[in-house]
Amino acid sequence: MTAGNTVLEVDDLTTRFHTQDGVVHAVNGVGFELRAGEFLGVVGESGSGKSVTMMSLLKLIPMPPGEIVGGTAKFEDDDLLQLAPDKLRAVRGAKIGFIFQDPMTSLNPVLTVGKQLTESILLHTDATKQQARARAAGLLELVGIPDPIQRLKNYPHELSGGMRQRVMIAIALACDPKVIIADEPTTALDVTIQAQIIETVRELRERLNTAVIWITHDLGVIAGLADRVMVMYGGKVVETAPVKQLYAEPQHPYTQGLLGSLPRLDQKGQQLVNIKGQPPSLYSEPTGCSFAPRCPHAFERCLNEVPPLVEVGHEHAVACFWNTETGAPRDV
Amino acid sequence: MSDATIAPDQPAPTELADGDTLLRVRNLTKYFPITKGLLARTVGHVRAVDDVTFDVIKGETLGLVGESGSGKSTTGRVMLQLDKATSGTVEFDGRELTKIGSGELRRTRPRMQMVFQDPHASLNPRMTVGSIIGEPLVEHTNMSKSDRRSRIGDLLDIVGLDAKHANRYPHEFSGGQRQRIGIARAIALNPDFVVCDEPIAALDVSIQAQVVNLLEELQDELGLTYLFISHDLSMVRHIADRVAVMYLGKIAELTDVDRLYTRPRHPYTQALHSAVPVPDPSIESARERVILTGDIPSPANPPSGCVFRTRCPIATDRCAAEVPEFRELEHGHWVACHYADTEQAQLVDELITPA
Ligand SMILES: Nc1ncnc2c1ncn2[C@@H]1O[C@H](COP(=O)(O)OP(=O)(O)OP(=O)(O)O)[C@@H](O)[C@H]1O
Ligand SMILES: Nc1ncnc2c1ncn2[C@@H]1O[C@H](COP(=O)(O)OP(=O)(O)OP(=O)(O)O)[C@@H](O)[C@H]1O
Ligand code: SF4
Ligand SMILES: [Mg+2]
Ligand SMILES: [Mg+2]
């Protein structure tokens, strides 16, 4: 849980898709750091570039139409974006685990859960078959699956949605990765099942020293899990801060709007803030702040210059020309 | 009527809530057959809705919450007679709908409308927005073409779209705008009652508030009554006056929104509340939680007795043997749990501990 050295350092990552309708500027110069054992929440609305950012790091996007135009991703002295395919394959699954939203698309339907787990262990470690099987059962137990030895014999379709997602977590954990990237792992689940998974992840955090990047559009889920939050909009990071800081003193007008537009289970009757307008089109490269057309504070500079991400407090950075606290332009 | 109770197959009392009742739903049940083989032999039934009883009061928003497959949409569809009830009755403004003829039903239709979850799937891609919104006007009124055109313009205006957009096609609109089109169509005939089936679930968080604010404004202006179906408990708390919680085809609890969220009595409602994360880190880190174990059983094979018992933290032998009555614990607070009025049923002291 204690955040240590930087394990992953991403800088200026830019990814585009060349489609029939034009170039989609999906990720526009994203940079962030992840420390050992840290839990980083990534939020932002649909299309803001959360998945493409993380998938670009491991070259999991389809290329073409995708193209990683630039940037670096430093992981253990290597730049992931420059790694040879075989070396990258060794990183994927062993040092960086990935959990997708829909486990059915990433679990192999014709192999038993046990086979999939042991294969991953055998591929990435020098365990014997017997050791791998024992470890597989241990992992299922770790993620809260009852009767793990029995369950190893099950096929994915024989498990419920929540159990499949637990299996995915077990597979991601199989080789003691340094980093786990989880892309909306509970979005498809019912809320009582989601609560079970989150509880399991919370317990695991205490026991393992894995850094986690957790993508979600649910600011509630992040509130209870993350150490730090990164807010994305229009393929850029618009704000990042320690979790309490972000919810208590959001600085970016988009973050403020987002938090204000949420109804809360513990409160009644507040008027929901309307973020007017629509999410941005990504067909042209941003020439100003992508949020400007929807922003209540936008002024001329916002339309003509892309606001840089600048430090405004301890570990708190914002990409906005307006200071909502002082009600005056920011000195950047 | 404060100590009235309703047991399955017993005649229901006439009033279940204060205020003018618009809809009276009594022992409503919908089973879907499960078929097998070439001859489509019926081998069982999905008990999508199983003996639910409630009222909808004129002008209110009744929230209907529950997890996937609990029977929310089916309840809404059967109330509107879009699906035929297996048994039970739905009385709308004094008229029993489940047995009336198609002609009479057709005359009632304009007064009851539905807004669907997926604005992409529910709008015909080959029709212009104008003809989508105008369709119910053609079907149910004798309006002249020019009257219709001006009504369509007004409707677009009401839902915050440009009247000039009538000639465009749905794909030219964003998700939030498409949902506005669906709402415009639903209110075209001045309905009394609108079932909103997850109207915001497919929308981005920043757009959800736009649509919810619109629904609230329309309710104030047009005096609409809503059944608001959602799995988002926070949004339901925001929009509803009363809330019914469904689990496996049954209503577990039904009461006004304040009581449901501050003093829920059904163990399932309590667990559901504590499963919903609150967007506030200091509250989240301090919350007491009830985490349910196990999975949601299949509605094709629901547990005996209380349907919740396989996951209920306080279940006893009695729960396996007896179906709990849906009973009025205190005035206006209905619960289906044998132990709702006991100490055990209070699983957490305070659902959300303020910081
Ligand atoms: N294979 C692809 N071809 C073309 N465009 C793509 C492709 N994959 C993603 N995009 C586009 O890139 C942008 C960013 O998408 P991304 O999936 O990262 O969004 P996201 O923030 O993960 O959204 P969501 O919350 O919906 O998952 C979107 O505009 C998307 O349409
Ligand atoms: N036409 C149908 N034929 C067979 N089974 C059906 C049909 N419609 C619904 N069901 C089943 O009835 C049960 C209740 O479904 P319903 O759609 O009412 O649930 P819901 O609460 O609206 O769920 P969700 O939140 O996923 O929309 C489910 O098990 C569903 O599979
Ligand atoms: S940079 Fe300008 S437009 Fe963008 S969020 Fe800040 S004030 Fe609004
Ligand atoms: Mg995504
Ligand atoms: Mg439904």
Side-chain angles (χ1 to χ4, degrees), chain B residues 8-25:
Chain B
D9 305 323
Q10 273 175 19
T14 44
E15 294 299 335
L16 287 187
D18 304 329
D20 285 345
T21 303
L22 184 63
L23 282 117
R24 254 184 210 103
V25 176

Side-chain angles (χ1 to χ4, degrees), chain B residues 129-282:
Chain B
V129 165
S131 38
I132 289 172
I133 299 173
E135 202 179 28
L137 298 173
V138 175
E139 192 143 326
H140 290 283
T141 72
N142 303 318
M143 273 188 189
S144 71
K145 216 172 172 181
S146 66
D147 283 353
R148 231 168 33 226
R149 198 173 305 131
S150 84
R151 173 77 178 146
I152 291 167
D154 290 347
L155 286 164
L156 284 169
D157 192 52
I158 291 172
V159 299
L161 293 174
D162 196 326
K164 288 191 296 250
H165 289 165
N167 294 323
R168 297 200 186 165
Y169 290 87
H171 72 88
E172 297 173 65
F173 293 87
S174 68
Q177 287 173 323
R178 272 183 262 203
Q179 202 50 289
R180 288 169 190 269
I181 296 166
I183 292 169
R185 179 176 59 184
I187 61 170
L189 297 165
N190 282 322
D192 299 296
F193 177 57
V194 180
V195 172
C196 305
D197 191 358
E198 311 248 12
I200 53 167
L203 304 177
D204 258 321
V205 182
S206 75
I207 308 295
Q208 288 183 353
Q210 291 180 7
V211 172
V212 165
N213 288 345
L214 171 66
L215 287 170
E216 290 184 310
E217 281 163 32
L218 290 176
Q219 180 167 45
D220 287 348
E221 283 164 31
L222 309 175
L224 297 171
T225 303
Y226 290 142
L227 180 72
F228 189 89
I229 297 176
S230 178
H231 59 261
D232 182 342
L233 267 81
S234 310
M235 195 54 96
V236 167
R237 169 154 210 188
H238 173 79
I239 198 170
D241 300 301
R242 294 190 307 142
V243 183
V245 179
M246 284 190 85
Y247 187 82
L248 274 188
K250 299 253 185 206
I251 295 184
E253 184 159 10
L254 165 61
T255 188
D256 54 86
V257 71
D258 284 338
R259 268 189 285 188
L260 193 97
Y261 284 81
T262 56
R263 276 175 291 135
R265 297 303 315 190
H266 197 288
Y268 176 61
T269 316
Q270 298 182 19
L272 204 53
H273 279 340
S274 68
V276 176
V278 173
D280 185 329
S282 31

Side-chain angles (χ1 to χ4, degrees), chain B residues 32 46 48 67-74 198 299:
Chain B
F32 292 103
V46 177
E67 295 176 278
S68 186
S70 55
K72 306 180 296 295
S73 297
T74 306
E198 311 248 12

Side-chain angles (χ1 to χ4, degrees), chain A residues 185-206:
Chain A
T186 60
T187 304
L189 302 175
D190 268 317
V191 22
T192 57
I193 307 295
Q194 166 175 294
Q196 293 173 356
I197 302 273
I198 288 177
E199 200 55 31
T200 303
V201 171
R202 248 195 218 120
E203 285 165 21
L204 286 176
R205 282 190 60 189
E206 312 291 322

